[in-house]
Amino acid sequence: MTEREIMDFARGEFEWLHAHPELAYEEFETTARLRAAFEHAGIRVLDLPLATGLISAIGTGKPIVALRTDIDALPVHEETDLPYRSQYEGKMHACGHDFHMASVLAAALLLKEREAELAGMVYIVCQPAEEAPGGARTVLNTGALADVAAIFGIHARPIYSVGTLGLCTGGMMASVDKFEITFHGVGTHAAQPDRGCDPIVMAAQFVTAAQTIAARNISPLRPAVVSVTHIEAGTTWNVLPERAWMEGTIRLFDSDDRALVKERVASLAEGIAAAFGGRAEVTWTAGPPAVVNTERWNTLARETAAEEDFAVVDAVPWMAGEDFAYYQEAMETCFAFVGTGLSPENHHPKFTVDPAAIPQTAHYLACMAEEALRRLR
Ligand code: NI
């Protein structure tokens, strides 16, 4: 395929993918569409036990590097006026994963044209379920990436214009943990609070006290977020309940800070509950660690992006999480933010991506893979 044919095709696929968003682990049409595109181009698709998502391969032998795209959409009702807006009620590619797919697909087609010159093999990892933490783990658990030396990923960012690429060494995206806390008290008549033990007062004290964790336990030079996002307690106006329940999240870049904040959340909840004569139960659901770029691949990424005429900027770290971080446990990684034109933030119902960003992003990814193979030999 010519350059022009590849980019026209990728643009068409972007629009189709945007119009047909599928949620985490339900990406069946998306997977079939990607498979058809790879097979049509003569790119082999690996035979793996993945219900959704796939890995294709270009070139032969070792070393192996990988390009990663996530493929899932969000339960957001689209509010754009795009001609290719979502055809599925309440589902939307509101995080740009359609753009990631189109760019990685175009990169694969570019690499296919230069397959004979590749100094090894490139895997194209189309990963399910980035939004519901676990998709990267699902792919890693197949064992298919065991021999991959390095994997490269991107994320669409509407804070940068098209032609801008953001990179930094160190933390780019935060670690994610979810907590749930139940405050146990003693229910009573609202008119006789002295006869019970009010868990709503405990919960209220905790919400305020928890803000001191970021303000008073973590260095002001390192970002930390502690957010209570959901509270439920009581059923009516004249009864004090037995229990108050809440959930929330913590976001950090430093793994020592992460452990400290978890310890502080638990001890504040338990200490406050005990001080009021009740008891707190804290449970954690761990999400991915922070996405961290290393000097080696960050330097290659800067050089490659500059060669592709990107304006390279120092990335502003993003407190959102990204399960790309799980790949760091098994191989080397590099992550980049790609400017997709100014729009409301990722996950907003009016979030948009300017598809003009696809060709340059595809060239960046293809060149990263090619040059990484040369450097790994
Ligand atoms: Ni995303």
Side-chain angles (χ1 to χ4, degrees):
M1 290 171 88
T2 64
E3 159 93 20
R4 177 68 187 272
E5 285 166 344
I6 288 172
M7 296 311 164
D8 285 350
F9 177 72
R11 168 70 183 253
E13 293 305 287
F14 167 75
E15 293 187 4
W16 188 93
L17 291 162
H18 187 86
H20 300 84
E22 295 177 290
L23 302 184
Y25 292 124
E26 296 172 5
E27 312 97 331
F28 296 103
E29 284 183 281
T30 305
T31 301
R33 186 84 180 189
L34 291 168
R35 177 180 288 272
F38 289 123
E39 287 176 349
H40 182 74
I43 296 172
R44 68 186 183 282
V45 176
L46 304 190
D47 189 17
L48 293 172
L50 286 172
T52 58
L54 59 85
I55 299 175
S56 61
I58 303 155
T60 52
K62 284 184 190 169
I64 307 173
V65 298
L67 300 177
R68 176 269 205 170
T69 175
D70 34 19
I71 67 172
D72 55 325
L74 283 158
V76 169
H77 185 78
E78 182 160 353
E79 291 176 17
T80 75
D81 299 323
L82 295 169
Y84 50 90
R85 69 195 302 282
S86 172
Q87 293 179 14
Y88 298 151
E89 185 77 19
K91 297 177 193 175
M92 177 186 176
H93 271 295
C95 199
H97 300 185
D98 47 356
F99 164 74
H100 305 163
M101 286 188 272
S103 300
V104 167
L105 180 58
L109 298 175
L110 290 170
L111 290 167
K112 182 66 183 170
E113 295 299 321
R114 319 199 277 258
E115 190 168 25
E117 294 102 72
L118 286 180
M121 187 151 52
V122 181
Y123 281 171
I124 307 296
V125 177
C126 301
Q127 177 214 301
E130 190 280 319
E131 301 288 357
R137 284 231 184 275
T138 303
V139 171
L140 285 163
N141 287 344
T142 65
L145 304 185
D147 293 327
V148 172
I151 189 167
F152 307 125
I154 53 167
H155 211 296
R157 289 296 281 139
I159 60 169
Y160 301 124
S161 52
V162 172
T164 302
L165 191 132
L167 285 164
C168 69
T169 305
M172 284 189 86
M173 295 186 72
S175 64
V176 179
D177 291 285
K178 173 184 137 181
F179 60 81
E180 287 178 75
I181 305 173
T182 305
F183 290 96
H184 296 272
V186 178
T188 180
H189 196 297
Q192 292 177 296
D194 56 302
R195 306 280 288 167
C197 174
D198 185 357
I200 292 178
V201 170
M202 300 175 211
Q205 295 280 341
F206 173 81
V207 171
T208 316
Q211 296 314 308
T212 65
I213 299 173
R216 288 295 174 270
N217 299 124
I218 301 296
S219 163
L221 301 176
R222 294 194 300 273
V225 172
V226 180
S227 292
V228 175
T229 55
H230 182 188
I231 301 182
E232 286 180 23
T235 52
T236 187
W237 67 280
N238 58 358
V239 177
L240 284 171
E242 286 273 305
R243 275 177 294 279
W245 172 89
M246 66 175 64
E247 63 182 347
T249 185
I250 64 170
R251 306 297 174 103
L252 299 130
F253 288 105
D254 181 277
S255 58
D256 291 340
D257 286 348
R258 188 183 187 188
L260 175 68
V261 170
K262 289 175 79 166
E263 187 278 313
R264 293 298 299 140
V265 164
S267 62
L268 275 179
E270 286 158 10
I272 287 168
F276 286 87
R279 176 171 70 80
E281 258 176 285
V282 183
T283 57
W284 290 95
T285 307
V291 172
V292 176
N293 276 356
T294 57
E295 192 66 51
R296 179 187 190 186
W297 298 109
N298 199 54
T299 302
L300 174 62
R302 278 187 175 271
E303 292 166 10
T304 306
E307 268 167 38
E308 298 302 333
D309 292 325
F310 270 109
V312 182
V313 297
D314 290 327
V316 180
W318 188 16
M319 296 307 287
E322 171 48 89
D323 77 350
F324 185 76
Y326 286 129
Y327 297 108
Q328 290 163 195
E329 294 164 9
M331 63 200 77
E332 299 191 64
T333 61
C334 186
F335 203 65
F337 295 147
V338 179
T340 47
L342 304 187
S343 100
E345 267 289 353
N346 300 71
H347 295 201
H348 190 280
K350 290 193 166 80
F351 170 82
T352 56
V353 162
D354 184 345
I358 295 170
Q360 206 177 3
T361 307
H363 279 282
Y364 161 78
L365 288 166
C367 293
M368 275 296 281
E370 278 178 312
E371 187 55 30
L373 287 178
R374 274 185 225 117
R375 295 192 184 190
L376 285 161
R377 267 186 105 78

